[in-house]
Amino acid sequence: MKGAKALSKAIRIAAAAALFVVLAVMLVWGFASARNAFDIGSVPAAQTFDQGWTTSDGSSVAEFPFEGSSPCSITNTLPTLMPDDNLILWYQEHLDRIEINGQVVFTSNKNMLLNRETTLGTTLVFVPLSAYEAGSQVTLYYHEAAYTGHVFIGSPPEYAAYLLETHPIGISLSVVLFLTGIILLLLVALFLAFQPKRDTLRDAALVAEIGCFFVCLSTWMIADTEILDPLFNIAAYNSLLSYLALFLAPLPFVSLMGNLLGESRRVTRILQAAYTINFLAQCVLFVAGVFDLSQMLVITHLLYAVGAITIVVIGVKHALSHRTRSGAVVAVVGLAVFSVLMTGGILAYRKMIDIDYAFFVNLGIMALTISLMYYAVGTLIRGVEQRARNAQLEHLAYHDALTGLGNRQAYENELDRWRQGAHESNLSVVALDVNMLKTTNDTLGHSAGDEIIKAAADCMGAAFENALIPYRHGGDEFSAVGVVSKEELDALIARLRALVENWKGTYCPSLSVSLGYARWEDFPQASVEELCKEADRLMYQDKSAFYQRIGRDRRAAR
């Protein structure tokens, strides 16, 4: 019980910390939006090199991202330079070469993946400018339809700072989601370590799916921001990482929806199968040289849009037609909002909506993070509390409420274990009965009677110290069972008698008990029942001798 409460408290603290981080990200978003709105502390114009470009026919290029027909070229003049400045170019396709003052400084290499040429994703180019001066002419040549995201002049660390400045929400959310996913997976492991029961596996699976989804989603987001490129110089693999994460993220997402919406499992399984088949088919077609991965990306987007709409429909239907827990309702609503916004993000990415697709993505991910965290934490807490309640009920089923000792059922279970097990010669059974209980109840009250019953239990526990396990299986009737040698048993009985003799209570001045014990070594042919009866017989002999000493009738004084 104490362990369950501690685990529940730890989960609540972790949840509070995670929600605090989410709120902090929301504040960052608001702060960044305010800075952009009022142009406060933005990146210096000299670092962004997106203005002043002209095409080969002399017309002005208004702004980046630049999209041009094939073939084409664009030209600009370098501004004032610092010794460690680089010309940093982010392009998707199809840059042929870069020239500065007529000298070729970069030639596009084929982007290879699994020994196949691919145009998947983006490429980041770093051209050192230390050999050139302000006013030098730089020209970008394209051999096919051009797409260049942005041009920047500065050092790689400055470019990383630029990305942090221009993508505060995407980067912050990706970090938060990744850490949250890892924390949830660790909590699941902790949960299963403390609660390894079959009835907790479903709750653990739900939270694990949320954690896996967060990890996949954060991987896609961090790759999409390109922050890894200047930091680790892995631009060639950034797009592949984004591509794989984009494929993997829907699998735990749809599985989660299937577990939340039990009657819609068939639909969610069909979606999972469709996403898996799409991934495998695209890999096979790419390796076979039939299609490039980027050419098949539209199919993936279409499948995701269909899946998102399907999940919205069944999620809303489920929320309206079932009385679910508030946590499940919040999760379904959050998933529905996320699906709608991600659909908008896909449409914006495909240029069907003239707005930055990151707006939809970031807003949807925030709604999803808060709703799923609420559901995941609530699920774990409910599981811990339910296991604690079950453990408490199980404890009450096998323990005496007054003394805390095992009750009659626990005593019978222990005897059954010995009936079915091997014969142990050192098995010992101790029978104990409280003397004068009826007289104590009649003269001093039932509080005094309860006191001496509890005192007998406490003395047995202190004397036997787990060498013998004590049970209360009647009103004032106790037994203890265990495997000890004759010498050990004599020492335990002597210690018990000393504790009883020295006991003094609040309502009762003293405690008196009768004892009897038997060992299988002394009765090798006896059954477990016969051994217990022998201990009882000797205990009643001791009780009769006690009442004879005080000159009272045993039945009347009991």
Side-chain angles (χ1 to χ4, degrees):
M1 188 67 179
K2 290 182 179 179
K5 288 183 177 179
L7 182 59
S8 178
K9 184 177 180 180
I11 293 173
R12 291 178 189 273
I13 292 173
L19 291 177
F20 174 81
V21 172
V22 171
L23 292 176
V25 172
M26 294 177 69
L27 290 175
V28 171
W29 191 2
F31 180 68
S33 300
R35 293 180 68 179
N36 291 334
F38 295 101
D39 196 23
I40 300 172
S42 59
V43 176
Q47 291 183 348
T48 54
F49 196 42
D50 292 346
Q51 302 296 323
W53 292 87
T54 57
T55 60
S56 54
D57 60 5
S59 62
S60 175
V61 178
E63 61 182 10
F64 277 76
F66 168 69
E67 295 182 77
S69 58
S70 170
C72 67
S73 64
I74 56 177
T75 302
N76 206 343
T77 300
L78 292 179
T80 302
L81 301 174
M82 300 298 292
D84 58 347
D85 278 348
N86 284 252
L87 175 69
I88 303 173
L89 181 70
W90 178 94
Y91 75 93
Q92 191 162 11
E93 52 186 3
H94 292 271
L95 183 66
D96 180 58
R97 68 187 185 278
I98 301 175
E99 292 184 2
I100 299 180
N101 290 338
Q103 178 184 358
V104 177
V105 295
F106 171 80
T107 301
S108 176
N109 296 317
K110 293 182 179 180
N111 190 9
M112 304 299 293
L113 177 63
L114 300 177
N115 295 322
R116 295 286 180 184
E117 183 178 358
T118 178
T119 59
L120 175 68
T122 59
T123 301
L124 199 63
V125 177
F126 291 84
V127 178
L129 298 176
S130 57
Y132 304 95
E133 298 179 352
S136 298
Q137 189 177 66
V138 56
T139 305
L140 311 180
Y141 291 91
Y142 299 91
H143 64 276
E144 293 184 32
Y147 183 86
T148 300
H150 55 256
V151 184
F152 182 89
I153 290 182
S155 64
E158 287 175 334
Y159 181 67
Y162 165 75
L163 292 177
L164 287 171
E165 180 77 23
T166 54
H167 299 84
I169 303 308
I171 294 172
S172 300
L173 272 178
S174 60
V175 173
V176 169
L177 279 176
F178 183 80
L179 293 177
T180 303
I182 296 298
I183 289 172
L184 287 177
L185 293 176
L186 291 175
L187 285 176
V188 169
L190 183 65
F191 180 77
L192 292 177
F194 280 85
Q195 314 288 336
K197 302 292 183 180
R198 181 174 298 178
D199 57 354
T200 64
L201 293 180
R202 181 181 179 275
D203 289 341
L206 284 172
V207 179
E209 286 167 351
I210 294 174
C212 291
F213 175 62
F214 280 177
V215 170
C216 292
L217 189 59
S218 64
T219 303
W220 171 74
M221 289 181 65
I222 197 68
D224 192 57
T225 63
E226 299 105 35
I227 189 65
L228 299 178
D229 296 350
L231 293 179
F232 302 106
N233 195 25
I234 56 171
Y237 302 100
N238 187 69
S239 296
L240 178 60
L241 182 64
S242 174
Y243 181 77
L244 292 176
L246 185 65
F247 268 106
L248 293 175
L251 297 179
F253 174 79
V254 173
S255 179
L256 172 65
M257 286 301 298
N259 284 324
L260 285 175
L261 311 173
E263 74 279 8
S264 303
R265 285 281 179 86
R266 180 176 298 179
V267 177
T268 55
R269 285 173 180 170
I270 290 174
L271 288 175
Q272 280 185 299
Y275 295 149
T276 304
I277 292 172
N278 174 56
F279 173 66
L280 296 176
Q282 290 196 22
C283 290
V284 171
L285 291 174
F286 172 73
V287 172
V290 179
F291 288 108
D292 190 4
L293 290 173
S294 60
Q295 294 173 318
M296 297 181 285
L297 194 58
V298 63
I299 300 174
T300 302
H301 288 161
L302 179 62
L303 283 175
Y304 288 177
V306 171
I309 294 171
T310 304
I311 286 173
V312 169
V313 172
I314 63 177
V316 172
K317 180 181 177 182
H318 179 86
L320 293 176
S321 59
H322 291 76
R323 292 183 177 180
T324 56
R325 295 191 299 262
S326 62
V329 172
V330 170
V332 170
V333 171
L335 289 166
V337 171
F338 170 75
S339 299
V340 171
L341 291 172
M342 286 300 289
T343 301
I346 290 173
L347 295 176
Y349 180 81
R350 307 304 308 184
K351 308 302 179 183
M352 300 177 68
I353 301 177
D354 189 17
I355 192 172
D356 184 7
Y357 74 93
F359 170 80
F360 290 101
V361 173
N362 290 335
L363 197 62
I365 289 173
M366 277 198 169
L368 183 71
T369 301
I370 294 174
S371 62
L372 289 187
M373 277 300 298
Y374 180 87
Y375 176 77
V377 173
T379 298
L380 285 179
I381 290 175
R382 280 193 302 273
V384 171
E385 291 176 346
Q386 182 60 46
R387 290 298 307 155
R389 285 192 293 269
N390 292 344
Q392 186 176 20
L393 291 175
E394 184 177 354
H395 179 83
L396 292 175
Y398 293 100
H399 289 79
D400 175 57
L402 176 62
T403 64
L405 299 182
N407 59 13
R408 176 176 288 277
Q409 184 61 53
Y411 178 59
E412 291 297 329
N413 289 347
E414 177 67 12
L415 295 183
D416 284 340
R417 189 171 71 86
W418 285 105
R419 292 186 188 103
Q420 299 168 9
H423 191 284
E424 172 61 61
S425 61
N426 282 340
L427 176 66
S428 301
V429 177
V430 177
L432 181 146
D433 197 283
V434 177
N435 296 328
M436 307 289 290
L437 178 61
K438 183 177 184 304
T439 302
T440 301
N441 283 329
D442 292 343
T443 58
L444 300 178
H446 287 280
S447 294
D450 290 344
E451 183 180 48
I452 60 174
I453 289 175
K454 192 172 185 309
D458 292 342
C459 290
M460 291 181 74
F464 296 157
E465 294 182 343
N466 296 324
L468 299 174
I469 302 175
Y471 301 89
R472 181 192 179 198
H473 52 80
D476 60 347
E477 298 172 357
F478 299 82
S479 291
V481 181
V483 177
V484 292
S485 67
K486 185 178 185 308
E487 293 76 14
E488 290 172 331
L489 181 59
D490 291 340
L492 294 174
I493 295 296
R495 187 188 306 168
L496 175 60
R497 291 190 184 279
L499 289 172
V500 169
E501 185 176 348
N502 293 324
W503 181 87
K504 295 186 183 300
T506 303
Y507 302 102
C508 235
S510 62
L511 173 66
S512 175
V513 300
S514 297
L515 289 170
Y517 56 90
R519 300 177 64 253
W520 243 341
E521 187 178 26
D522 300 326
F523 304 93
Q525 303 303 318
S527 64
V528 173
E529 287 78 8
E530 291 171 341
L531 196 65
C532 293
K533 287 180 179 179
E534 180 62 22
D536 282 338
R537 184 184 68 80
L538 295 174
M539 181 271 294
Y540 282 117
Q541 281 186 3
D542 190 36
K543 182 176 284 288
S544 296
F546 168 77
Y547 284 110
Q548 286 177 3
R549 288 197 302 272
I550 64 174
R552 301 188 62 174
D553 180 69
R554 180 174 66 84
R555 292 184 176 84
R558 183 176 174 81

